[in-house]
PDB file of all heavy atoms in Angstrom:
ATOM      1  N   VAL A   1      97.410  36.879  -5.895  1.00 97.00           N
ATOM      2  CA  VAL A   1      97.840  37.269  -7.238  1.00 97.00           C
ATOM      3  C   VAL A   1      99.242  36.745  -7.480  1.00 97.00           C
ATOM      4  O   VAL A   1     100.122  36.911  -6.634  1.00 97.00           O
ATOM      5  CB  VAL A   1      97.829  38.805  -7.404  1.00 97.00           C
ATOM      6  CG1 VAL A   1      98.311  39.202  -8.796  1.00 97.00           C
ATOM      7  CG2 VAL A   1      96.442  39.363  -7.161  1.00 97.00           C
ATOM      8  N   GLY A   2      99.436  36.088  -8.630  1.00 96.00           N
ATOM      9  CA  GLY A   2     100.773  35.590  -8.963  1.00 96.00           C
ATOM     10  C   GLY A   2     100.741  34.743 -10.214  1.00 96.00           C
ATOM     11  O   GLY A   2      99.708  34.614 -10.871  1.00 96.00           O
ATOM     12  N   THR A   3     101.903  34.171 -10.549  1.00 96.00           N
ATOM     13  CA  THR A   3     101.978  33.293 -11.713  1.00 96.00           C
ATOM     14  C   THR A   3     101.918  31.848 -11.233  1.00 96.00           C
ATOM     15  O   THR A   3     102.544  31.488 -10.230  1.00 96.00           O
ATOM     16  CB  THR A   3     103.267  33.520 -12.512  1.00 96.00           C
ATOM     17  OG1 THR A   3     104.378  33.460 -11.608  1.00 96.00           O
ATOM     18  CG2 THR A   3     103.256  34.887 -13.187  1.00 96.00           C
ATOM     19  N   LEU A   4     101.175  31.028 -11.952  1.00 96.00           N
ATOM     20  CA  LEU A   4     100.956  29.635 -11.558  1.00 96.00           C
ATOM     21  C   LEU A   4     101.470  28.709 -12.638  1.00 96.00           C
ATOM     22  O   LEU A   4     100.982  28.737 -13.778  1.00 96.00           O
ATOM     23  CB  LEU A   4      99.459  29.399 -11.326  1.00 96.00           C
ATOM     24  CG  LEU A   4      99.035  27.982 -10.925  1.00 96.00           C
ATOM     25  CD1 LEU A   4      99.687  27.554  -9.619  1.00 96.00           C
ATOM     26  CD2 LEU A   4      97.519  27.886 -10.808  1.00 96.00           C
ATOM     27  N   GLY A   5     102.474  27.877 -12.282  1.00 94.00           N
ATOM     28  CA  GLY A   5     102.968  26.855 -13.208  1.00 94.00           C
ATOM     29  C   GLY A   5     103.399  27.434 -14.539  1.00 94.00           C
ATOM     30  O   GLY A   5     104.135  28.422 -14.611  1.00 94.00           O
ATOM     31  N   ASP A   6     102.902  26.828 -15.622  1.00 94.00           N
ATOM     32  CA  ASP A   6     103.275  27.249 -16.975  1.00 94.00           C
ATOM     33  C   ASP A   6     102.317  28.269 -17.570  1.00 94.00           C
ATOM     34  O   ASP A   6     102.466  28.636 -18.738  1.00 94.00           O
ATOM     35  CB  ASP A   6     103.353  26.020 -17.896  1.00 94.00           C
ATOM     36  CG  ASP A   6     104.568  25.153 -17.577  1.00 94.00           C
ATOM     37  OD1 ASP A   6     105.646  25.730 -17.318  1.00 94.00           O
ATOM     38  OD2 ASP A   6     104.443  23.921 -17.568  1.00 94.00           O
ATOM     39  N   ILE A   7     101.312  28.709 -16.805  1.00 94.00           N
ATOM     40  CA  ILE A   7     100.405  29.746 -17.312  1.00 94.00           C
ATOM     41  C   ILE A   7     101.198  31.046 -17.379  1.00 94.00           C
ATOM     42  O   ILE A   7     101.747  31.506 -16.376  1.00 94.00           O
ATOM     43  CB  ILE A   7      99.163  29.885 -16.399  1.00 94.00           C
ATOM     44  CG1 ILE A   7      98.407  28.542 -16.343  1.00 94.00           C
ATOM     45  CG2 ILE A   7      98.240  30.990 -16.902  1.00 94.00           C
ATOM     46  CD1 ILE A   7      97.317  28.481 -15.282  1.00 94.00           C
ATOM     47  N   SER A   8     101.284  31.625 -18.574  1.00 90.00           N
ATOM     48  CA  SER A   8     102.281  32.683 -18.808  1.00 90.00           C
ATOM     49  C   SER A   8     101.971  33.992 -18.094  1.00 90.00           C
ATOM     50  O   SER A   8     102.872  34.695 -17.647  1.00 90.00           O
ATOM     51  CB  SER A   8     102.428  32.939 -20.308  1.00 90.00           C
ATOM     52  OG  SER A   8     101.159  33.298 -20.856  1.00 90.00           O
ATOM     53  N   CYS A   9     100.681  34.364 -17.978  1.00 95.00           N
ATOM     54  CA  CYS A   9     100.372  35.673 -17.398  1.00 95.00           C
ATOM     55  C   CYS A   9      99.984  35.529 -15.930  1.00 95.00           C
ATOM     56  O   CYS A   9      99.518  34.473 -15.504  1.00 95.00           O
ATOM     57  CB  CYS A   9      99.238  36.333 -18.178  1.00 95.00           C
ATOM     58  SG  CYS A   9      97.722  35.375 -18.167  1.00 95.00           S
ATOM     59  N   PRO A  10     100.167  36.597 -15.137  1.00 97.00           N
ATOM     60  CA  PRO A  10      99.733  36.546 -13.733  1.00 97.00           C
ATOM     61  C   PRO A  10      98.219  36.327 -13.645  1.00 97.00           C
ATOM     62  O   PRO A  10      97.469  36.769 -14.513  1.00 97.00           O
ATOM     63  CB  PRO A  10     100.115  37.928 -13.191  1.00 97.00           C
ATOM     64  CG  PRO A  10     101.138  38.458 -14.126  1.00 97.00           C
ATOM     65  CD  PRO A  10     100.811  37.885 -15.466  1.00 97.00           C
ATOM     66  N   LEU A  11      97.817  35.659 -12.578  1.00 97.00           N
ATOM     67  CA  LEU A  11      96.394  35.397 -12.350  1.00 97.00           C
ATOM     68  C   LEU A  11      95.975  35.944 -10.991  1.00 97.00           C
ATOM     69  O   LEU A  11      96.752  35.938 -10.043  1.00 97.00           O
ATOM     70  CB  LEU A  11      96.112  33.890 -12.353  1.00 97.00           C
ATOM     71  CG  LEU A  11      96.343  33.103 -13.639  1.00 97.00           C
ATOM     72  CD1 LEU A  11      96.079  31.619 -13.394  1.00 97.00           C
ATOM     73  CD2 LEU A  11      95.448  33.614 -14.765  1.00 97.00           C
ATOM     74  N   ALA A  12      94.722  36.392 -10.926  1.00 98.00           N
ATOM     75  CA  ALA A  12      94.076  36.646  -9.635  1.00 98.00           C
ATOM     76  C   ALA A  12      93.274  35.393  -9.326  1.00 98.00           C
ATOM     77  O   ALA A  12      92.296  35.092 -10.018  1.00 98.00           O
ATOM     78  CB  ALA A  12      93.162  37.857  -9.728  1.00 98.00           C
ATOM     79  N   ILE A  13      93.717  34.633  -8.336  1.00 98.00           N
ATOM     80  CA  ILE A  13      93.035  33.373  -8.010  1.00 98.00           C
ATOM     81  C   ILE A  13      92.131  33.588  -6.812  1.00 98.00           C
ATOM     82  O   ILE A  13      92.537  34.126  -5.781  1.00 98.00           O
ATOM     83  CB  ILE A  13      94.046  32.242  -7.776  1.00 98.00           C
ATOM     84  CG1 ILE A  13      94.746  31.948  -9.109  1.00 98.00           C
ATOM     85  CG2 ILE A  13      93.355  30.998  -7.216  1.00 98.00           C
ATOM     86  CD1 ILE A  13      95.535  30.688  -9.177  1.00 98.00           C
ATOM     87  N   ILE A  14      90.880  33.173  -6.995  1.00 97.00           N
ATOM     88  CA  ILE A  14      89.843  33.307  -5.977  1.00 97.00           C
ATOM     89  C   ILE A  14      89.599  31.942  -5.372  1.00 97.00           C
ATOM     90  O   ILE A  14      89.358  30.971  -6.096  1.00 97.00           O
ATOM     91  CB  ILE A  14      88.515  33.765  -6.631  1.00 97.00           C
ATOM     92  CG1 ILE A  14      88.698  35.084  -7.363  1.00 97.00           C
ATOM     93  CG2 ILE A  14      87.400  33.869  -5.605  1.00 97.00           C
ATOM     94  CD1 ILE A  14      88.918  36.225  -6.467  1.00 97.00           C
ATOM     95  N   GLY A  15      89.636  31.863  -4.056  1.00 97.00           N
ATOM     96  CA  GLY A  15      89.235  30.643  -3.362  1.00 97.00           C
ATOM     97  C   GLY A  15      87.824  30.828  -2.838  1.00 97.00           C
ATOM     98  O   GLY A  15      87.553  31.771  -2.091  1.00 97.00           O
ATOM     99  N   GLY A  16      86.926  29.947  -3.234  1.00 97.00           N
ATOM    100  CA  GLY A  16      85.525  30.055  -2.831  1.00 97.00           C
ATOM    101  C   GLY A  16      85.041  28.793  -2.146  1.00 97.00           C
ATOM    102  O   GLY A  16      85.815  28.100  -1.470  1.00 97.00           O
ATOM    103  N   ASN A  17      83.785  28.476  -2.335  1.00 97.00           N
ATOM    104  CA  ASN A  17      83.208  27.269  -1.738  1.00 97.00           C
ATOM    105  C   ASN A  17      83.617  26.064  -2.566  1.00 97.00           C
ATOM    106  O   ASN A  17      83.047  25.817  -3.627  1.00 97.00           O
ATOM    107  CB  ASN A  17      81.678  27.397  -1.663  1.00 97.00           C
ATOM    108  CG  ASN A  17      81.267  28.570  -0.797  1.00 97.00           C
ATOM    109  OD1 ASN A  17      82.013  28.973   0.089  1.00 97.00           O
ATOM    110  ND2 ASN A  17      80.115  29.142  -1.063  1.00 97.00           N
ATOM    111  N   CYS A  18      84.647  25.368  -2.101  1.00 96.00           N
ATOM    112  CA  CYS A  18      85.165  24.139  -2.740  1.00 96.00           C
ATOM    113  C   CYS A  18      85.736  24.379  -4.136  1.00 96.00           C
ATOM    114  O   CYS A  18      85.918  23.423  -4.888  1.00 96.00           O
ATOM    115  CB  CYS A  18      84.092  23.054  -2.819  1.00 96.00           C
ATOM    116  SG  CYS A  18      83.361  22.685  -1.231  1.00 96.00           S
ATOM    117  N   SER A  19      86.013  25.618  -4.504  1.00 96.00           N
ATOM    118  CA  SER A  19      86.524  25.842  -5.857  1.00 96.00           C
ATOM    119  C   SER A  19      87.631  26.885  -5.869  1.00 96.00           C
ATOM    120  O   SER A  19      87.754  27.714  -4.965  1.00 96.00           O
ATOM    121  CB  SER A  19      85.400  26.302  -6.790  1.00 96.00           C
ATOM    122  OG  SER A  19      85.045  27.643  -6.495  1.00 96.00           O
ATOM    123  N   LEU A  20      88.438  26.828  -6.948  1.00 97.00           N
ATOM    124  CA  LEU A  20      89.489  27.808  -7.215  1.00 97.00           C
ATOM    125  C   LEU A  20      89.290  28.313  -8.635  1.00 97.00           C
ATOM    126  O   LEU A  20      89.105  27.520  -9.560  1.00 97.00           O
ATOM    127  CB  LEU A  20      90.871  27.149  -7.095  1.00 97.00           C
ATOM    128  CG  LEU A  20      91.232  26.563  -5.730  1.00 97.00           C
ATOM    129  CD1 LEU A  20      92.397  25.597  -5.859  1.00 97.00           C
ATOM    130  CD2 LEU A  20      91.563  27.676  -4.743  1.00 97.00           C
ATOM    131  N   GLN A  21      89.333  29.638  -8.808  1.00 97.00           N
ATOM    132  CA  GLN A  21      89.093  30.226 -10.119  1.00 97.00           C
ATOM    133  C   GLN A  21      90.129  31.310 -10.345  1.00 97.00           C
ATOM    134  O   GLN A  21      90.382  32.132  -9.456  1.00 97.00           O
ATOM    135  CB  GLN A  21      87.681  30.830 -10.131  1.00 97.00           C
ATOM    136  CG  GLN A  21      87.088  31.065 -11.492  1.00 97.00           C
ATOM    137  CD  GLN A  21      85.600  31.434 -11.412  1.00 97.00           C
ATOM    138  OE1 GLN A  21      85.036  31.500 -10.321  1.00 97.00           O
ATOM    139  NE2 GLN A  21      84.984  31.663 -12.543  1.00 97.00           N
ATOM    140  N   GLY A  22      90.756  31.306 -11.533  1.00 97.00           N
ATOM    141  CA  GLY A  22      91.828  32.267 -11.815  1.00 97.00           C
ATOM    142  C   GLY A  22      91.510  33.136 -13.015  1.00 97.00           C
ATOM    143  O   GLY A  22      91.140  32.631 -14.079  1.00 97.00           O
ATOM    144  N   PHE A  23      91.671  34.465 -12.850  1.00 97.00           N
ATOM    145  CA  PHE A  23      91.378  35.432 -13.913  1.00 97.00           C
ATOM    146  C   PHE A  23      92.645  36.187 -14.289  1.00 97.00           C
ATOM    147  O   PHE A  23      93.451  36.531 -13.422  1.00 97.00           O
ATOM    148  CB  PHE A  23      90.349  36.463 -13.423  1.00 97.00           C
ATOM    149  CG  PHE A  23      89.018  35.875 -13.058  1.00 97.00           C
ATOM    150  CD1 PHE A  23      88.767  35.442 -11.757  1.00 97.00           C
ATOM    151  CD2 PHE A  23      88.003  35.755 -13.998  1.00 97.00           C
ATOM    152  CE1 PHE A  23      87.542  34.909 -11.405  1.00 97.00           C
ATOM    153  CE2 PHE A  23      86.770  35.219 -13.655  1.00 97.00           C
ATOM    154  CZ  PHE A  23      86.530  34.789 -12.359  1.00 97.00           C
ATOM    155  N   ASN A  24      92.791  36.486 -15.604  1.00 97.00           N
ATOM    156  CA  ASN A  24      93.888  37.355 -16.017  1.00 97.00           C
ATOM    157  C   ASN A  24      93.429  38.810 -15.943  1.00 97.00           C
ATOM    158  O   ASN A  24      92.297  39.103 -15.522  1.00 97.00           O
ATOM    159  CB  ASN A  24      94.401  36.972 -17.406  1.00 97.00           C
ATOM    160  CG  ASN A  24      93.429  37.341 -18.526  1.00 97.00           C
ATOM    161  OD1 ASN A  24      92.318  37.830 -18.280  1.00 97.00           O
ATOM    162  ND2 ASN A  24      93.832  37.109 -19.758  1.00 97.00           N
ATOM    163  N   TYR A  25      94.294  39.753 -16.361  1.00 96.00           N
ATOM    164  CA  TYR A  25      93.991  41.181 -16.170  1.00 96.00           C
ATOM    165  C   TYR A  25      92.812  41.650 -17.026  1.00 96.00           C
ATOM    166  O   TYR A  25      92.251  42.710 -16.786  1.00 96.00           O
ATOM    167  CB  TYR A  25      95.229  42.038 -16.447  1.00 96.00           C
ATOM    168  CG  TYR A  25      95.662  42.086 -17.900  1.00 96.00           C
ATOM    169  CD1 TYR A  25      95.199  43.089 -18.750  1.00 96.00           C
ATOM    170  CD2 TYR A  25      96.530  41.138 -18.418  1.00 96.00           C
ATOM    171  CE1 TYR A  25      95.587  43.139 -20.081  1.00 96.00           C
ATOM    172  CE2 TYR A  25      96.923  41.175 -19.735  1.00 96.00           C
ATOM    173  CZ  TYR A  25      96.444  42.177 -20.568  1.00 96.00           C
ATOM    174  OH  TYR A  25      96.831  42.217 -21.883  1.00 96.00           O
ATOM    175  N   GLU A  26      92.435  40.845 -18.038  1.00 95.00           N
ATOM    176  CA  GLU A  26      91.269  41.205 -18.858  1.00 95.00           C
ATOM    177  C   GLU A  26      89.979  40.616 -18.298  1.00 95.00           C
ATOM    178  O   GLU A  26      88.910  40.825 -18.851  1.00 95.00           O
ATOM    179  CB  GLU A  26      91.466  40.707 -20.291  1.00 95.00           C
ATOM    180  CG  GLU A  26      92.631  41.371 -21.013  1.00 95.00           C
ATOM    181  CD  GLU A  26      92.883  40.751 -22.380  1.00 95.00           C
ATOM    182  OE1 GLU A  26      92.975  39.506 -22.445  1.00 95.00           O
ATOM    183  OE2 GLU A  26      92.969  41.499 -23.358  1.00 95.00           O
ATOM    184  N   GLY A  27      90.101  39.855 -17.209  1.00 96.00           N
ATOM    185  CA  GLY A  27      88.917  39.218 -16.648  1.00 96.00           C
ATOM    186  C   GLY A  27      88.585  37.888 -17.285  1.00 96.00           C
ATOM    187  O   GLY A  27      87.507  37.327 -17.047  1.00 96.00           O
ATOM    188  N   LYS A  28      89.521  37.346 -18.102  1.00 96.00           N
ATOM    189  CA  LYS A  28      89.286  36.031 -18.710  1.00 96.00           C
ATOM    190  C   LYS A  28      89.559  34.942 -17.680  1.00 96.00           C
ATOM    191  O   LYS A  28      90.565  34.973 -16.974  1.00 96.00           O
ATOM    192  CB  LYS A  28      90.183  35.835 -19.936  1.00 96.00           C
ATOM    193  CG  LYS A  28      89.751  36.670 -21.116  1.00 96.00           C
ATOM    194  CD  LYS A  28      90.626  36.407 -22.333  1.00 96.00           C
ATOM    195  CE  LYS A  28      90.142  37.236 -23.515  1.00 96.00           C
ATOM    196  NZ  LYS A  28      91.199  37.415 -24.530  1.00 96.00           N
ATOM    197  N   ASP A  29      88.670  33.976 -17.632  1.00 95.00           N
ATOM    198  CA  ASP A  29      88.749  32.862 -16.688  1.00 95.00           C
ATOM    199  C   ASP A  29      89.705  31.812 -17.266  1.00 95.00           C
ATOM    200  O   ASP A  29      89.319  31.012 -18.111  1.00 95.00           O
ATOM    201  CB  ASP A  29      87.329  32.306 -16.511  1.00 95.00           C
ATOM    202  CG  ASP A  29      87.249  31.222 -15.458  1.00 95.00           C
ATOM    203  OD1 ASP A  29      88.303  30.774 -14.995  1.00 95.00           O
ATOM    204  OD2 ASP A  29      86.129  30.824 -15.116  1.00 95.00           O
ATOM    205  N   LEU A  30      90.979  31.835 -16.815  1.00 95.00           N
ATOM    206  CA  LEU A  30      91.998  30.950 -17.400  1.00 95.00           C
ATOM    207  C   LEU A  30      92.281  29.715 -16.550  1.00 95.00           C
ATOM    208  O   LEU A  30      93.057  28.855 -16.957  1.00 95.00           O
ATOM    209  CB  LEU A  30      93.316  31.717 -17.589  1.00 95.00           C
ATOM    210  CG  LEU A  30      93.311  32.893 -18.563  1.00 95.00           C
ATOM    211  CD1 LEU A  30      94.738  33.390 -18.764  1.00 95.00           C
ATOM    212  CD2 LEU A  30      92.707  32.497 -19.911  1.00 95.00           C
ATOM    213  N   PHE A  31      91.698  29.655 -15.358  1.00 96.00           N
ATOM    214  CA  PHE A  31      92.020  28.539 -14.454  1.00 96.00           C
ATOM    215  C   PHE A  31      90.793  28.239 -13.602  1.00 96.00           C
ATOM    216  O   PHE A  31      90.147  29.152 -13.088  1.00 96.00           O
ATOM    217  CB  PHE A  31      93.207  28.938 -13.557  1.00 96.00           C
ATOM    218  CG  PHE A  31      93.549  27.927 -12.498  1.00 96.00           C
ATOM    219  CD1 PHE A  31      94.244  26.770 -12.812  1.00 96.00           C
ATOM    220  CD2 PHE A  31      93.165  28.127 -11.176  1.00 96.00           C
ATOM    221  CE1 PHE A  31      94.566  25.835 -11.825  1.00 96.00           C
ATOM    222  CE2 PHE A  31      93.477  27.208 -10.185  1.00 96.00           C
ATOM    223  CZ  PHE A  31      94.181  26.048 -10.525  1.00 96.00           C
TER     224      PHE A  31
END
């Protein structure tokens, strides 16, 4: 969990099988 680059809100970033996915606190997939 943290802020990434210029994305303004903190993200929960999940590392999975060959992929990275980031969600904000509303569950929106922003990355």
Side-chain angles (χ1 to χ4, degrees):
V1 179
T3 51
L4 179 60
D6 288 319
I7 300 169
S8 58
C9 60
L11 296 177
I13 293 193
I14 302 290
N17 299 334
C18 305
S19 73
L20 299 163
Q21 200 170 0
F23 298 90
N24 72 356
Y25 69 92
E26 296 174 310
K28 288 182 179 159
D29 185 350
L30 296 188
F31 175 77

